[in-house]
Amino acid sequence: MMREEILEIQKRLVPDLLETMKKRYTILHHILVSGIVGRRTLAVSLNTTERILRAEVDFLKEQGLVDVEVSGMRISPAGRRLLEQLEPMVKDLFGLTELEERIRSHYGLKHVVIVPGDSDTSPHTKKELGRAGASMLRKYVRDDEVVAVTGGSTMAEVAYHLTASTSMKGRWFVPARGGLGESVELQANTIASTMAKKTGGRYRLLHVPDHLGEEAYQSLMQDPSIAEIIDFIRRARMVIHGIGEAMVMARRRKVDPETTEILRNDGALAEAFGYYFDREGNILHKMPTIGLRIEDIQGMDAVIGVGGGKSKGEAIAAVLRHGHEDVLITDEAAAKVIVEGLPS
């Protein structure tokens, strides 16, 4: 009997069993992603009370799935193994397997990973996006590969969840573009260096602002040291990047009011790599940026897009329609918006 058939029978005969399993899986998963967490913090994150949570944690402790210490709770080795075994079944429980396949087949992607929840409202879901992004990076990276990374809070989570591994050791990490003028920890330079340090890799940095006037852009490109690092970045065979809403990113990039109005009137929906896309995935506008160009991305071995939240669903779909993504890592809320736009 297929796993899906067994689940369907369980849903009809013992629905409370499945609800309990989902609840305990969610608790274990929060503890795993948090590393170590106190009961009060976990209760707030799960939108439950400490009293209800205490009974569940006591059960999980008795089963040897969590270790409770003075500083908080952490997942045990047995708990980690159980989560790995449960993951495919839980994806079926949440209905994510079907969503993944619909998006993958429609857009011709190599891989789609959907995590439960909504990054707009749950910091835990954003952390899980980061963990899934780190896992896909390890899966797709090749020997002696240069990996380009963009900035942003989701990419910072990917960097946080990377660990030293044989597949990543010695790899080069580079920023896909210059700085955005935002907080240092969210800039591509910082994220590239963090990824390198956490994996035993190497990195190169690009110390120039992302948004430049044409004259400044041409001048900088004449500088031999800048030209050399740009050439190195454009040798990247893999990129992992965030996806943003066009108007939000225009504000972050301090795009001038005239250009912002043009983008709005032209129906700009999404931004990636400094390119703005409409609903159909057409490029509407390119910022004069130092870093990767769309032609560099077209020839890569793997393009991994990471982004979630219901508010980004349409933006992610627009980037997928452009057609250069190989792997998508998103969350349940964004995936449902993406699927709503697909032909039935």
Side-chain angles (χ1 to χ4, degrees):
M1 190 178 288
M2 298 285 287
R3 185 179 71 216
E4 293 84 355
E5 292 173 327
I6 294 171
L7 275 175
E8 195 56 42
I9 291 168
Q10 286 176 326
K11 283 177 186 176
R12 296 178 69 179
L13 283 177
V14 279
D16 50 336
L17 175 69
L18 293 183
E19 284 306 311
T20 301
M21 188 166 81
K22 281 171 73 173
K23 179 169 62 177
R24 288 175 179 164
Y25 172 87
T26 302
I27 293 169
L28 273 177
H29 208 272
H30 269 66
I31 296 170
L32 170 71
V33 174
S34 300
I36 189 160
V37 63
R39 193 158 53 210
R40 181 175 298 174
T41 303
L42 185 59
V44 171
S45 182
L46 291 167
N47 196 26
T48 187
T49 66
E50 284 190 68
R51 185 179 62 80
I52 292 171
L53 185 62
R54 184 183 294 115
E56 295 297 344
V57 169
D58 287 347
F59 172 83
L60 295 172
K61 182 184 175 185
E62 286 170 14
Q63 298 298 314
L65 302 174
V66 298
D67 297 324
V68 180
E69 305 166 6
V70 176
S71 53
M73 299 168 284
R74 68 169 75 243
I75 197 91
S76 70
R80 193 179 293 269
R81 285 194 299 273
L82 182 68
L83 282 177
E84 288 173 1
Q85 292 167 341
L86 266 178
E87 193 158 350
M89 184 182 291
V90 169
K91 278 186 175 287
D92 286 342
L93 276 178
F94 283 96
L96 303 183
T97 308
E98 184 185 351
L99 283 177
E100 287 175 346
E101 180 53 28
R102 283 197 67 187
I103 294 170
R104 190 204 64 75
S105 61
H106 181 81
Y107 290 106
L109 304 175
K110 293 177 183 174
H111 210 121
V112 174
V113 177
I114 300 171
V115 304
D118 184 346
S119 301
D120 287 345
T121 56
S122 168
H124 169 78
T125 301
K126 182 166 277 194
K127 285 185 170 66
E128 181 57 10
L129 278 179
R131 195 175 76 94
S135 176
M136 280 296 111
L137 195 53
R138 283 191 295 270
K139 178 182 174 69
Y140 278 89
V141 75
R142 297 185 181 181
D143 289 346
D144 301 319
E145 193 149 54
V146 177
V147 180
V149 301
T150 64
S153 58
T154 307
M155 285 300 102
E157 287 292 350
V158 174
Y160 175 81
H161 284 93
L162 282 171
T163 53
S165 67
T166 307
S167 66
M168 304 289 279
K169 192 170 184 180
R171 303 295 168 267
W172 282 99
F173 292 87
V174 296
R177 48 192 304 123
L180 259 182
E182 59 194 340
S183 53
V184 172
E185 66 271 16
L186 300 184
Q187 290 189 17
N189 270 339
T190 306
I191 291 167
S193 65
T194 300
M195 286 181 170
K197 289 169 186 173
K198 296 200 75 167
T199 59
R202 297 171 285 179
Y203 64 93
R204 300 282 302 272
L205 302 183
L206 181 59
H207 295 295
V208 294
D210 183 67
H211 183 40
L212 297 167
E214 189 62 35
E215 191 175 334
Y217 173 78
Q218 295 299 338
S219 175
L220 272 172
M221 291 302 282
Q222 301 306 311
D223 183 284
S225 61
I226 296 291
E228 190 270 334
I229 180 64
I230 294 300
D231 180 62
F232 190 85
I233 288 169
R234 289 176 178 170
R235 290 192 346 234
R237 304 302 302 156
M238 178 177 185
V239 62
I240 182 163
H241 70 94
I243 298 169
E245 295 173 79
M247 292 301 110
V248 172
M249 293 306 296
R251 283 196 301 274
R252 276 179 59 194
R253 294 191 193 287
K254 298 179 173 61
V255 174
D256 63 83
E258 185 182 349
T259 305
T260 301
E261 192 59 28
I262 291 170
L263 286 170
R264 184 178 284 108
N265 291 339
D266 287 349
L269 200 60
E271 187 276 344
F273 318 108
Y275 292 83
Y276 289 83
F277 303 87
D278 66 13
R279 187 175 298 277
E280 302 308 315
N282 302 309
I283 295 172
L284 295 174
H285 185 75
K286 174 191 178 298
M287 305 303 291
T289 179
I290 287 188
L292 288 181
R293 303 158 300 185
I294 210 81
E295 54 265 39
D296 302 315
I297 294 153
Q298 286 170 344
M300 287 189 176
D301 297 329
V303 180
I304 302 174
V306 189
K310 185 177 181 181
S311 63
K312 280 190 185 177
E314 290 188 343
I316 295 167
V319 171
L320 291 177
R321 288 185 191 107
H322 185 67
H324 289 135
E325 302 299 310
D326 295 305
V327 178
L328 173 67
I329 297 150
T330 190
D331 62 24
E332 182 179 7
K336 286 178 176 175
V337 174
I338 294 166
V339 167
E340 281 170 12
L342 300 183
S344 54

